[in-house]
Amino acid sequence: MFAKKSVRLQEVPLVRRCHSCHQLKFAIASQALIHKSSGRPYCRWLCQDCGKPRGIYPTPEFLKNLREMDEGDEVESDLKVLVRI
């Protein structure tokens, strides 16, 4: 499960259900697999907490994009919303 050679590290933060802990978290890696019975491709996602013991860490680009997302949320909270009724 999550062999290092077939794991693709993510550069854009996406909230996905972790294959290991089954919680909704930011996915740092994905693994594309083929389902045995149907033959269709599917993805497994891995969060940062579950990736550490396996030696899978987020890329610097991922961390930069995550910080930019956090900063964007703070800026948008200061905007006023006008509603017509």
Side-chain angles (χ1 to χ4, degrees):
M1 187 165 92
F2 274 98
K4 264 188 154 178
K5 62 182 177 181
S6 63
V7 170
R8 181 177 178 200
L9 297 176
Q10 301 295 312
E11 293 182 1
V12 178
L14 299 171
V15 176
R16 298 285 191 242
R17 189 169 302 277
C18 178
H19 180 74
S20 185
C21 66
H22 306 290
Q23 295 181 5
L24 288 173
K25 295 183 179 180
F26 283 108
I28 63 163
S30 66
Q31 185 177 39
L33 301 168
I34 304 294
H35 196 271
K36 288 183 180 179
S37 62
S38 68
R40 293 186 177 198
Y42 68 98
C43 283
R44 289 181 179 171
W45 302 91
L46 193 65
C47 70
Q48 189 171 1
D49 297 333
C50 297
K52 282 183 185 176
R54 294 174 173 91
I56 302 171
Y57 298 99
T59 62
E61 185 71 24
F62 176 89
L63 296 173
K64 177 184 161 198
N65 290 337
L66 188 61
R67 272 187 254 116
E68 287 176 1
M69 285 177 60
D70 287 341
E71 290 171 0
D73 289 343
E74 293 171 3
V75 171
E76 290 176 9
S77 65
D78 294 337
L79 298 176
K80 293 182 179 179
V81 178
L82 299 175
V83 179
R84 280 189 182 173
I85 300 178

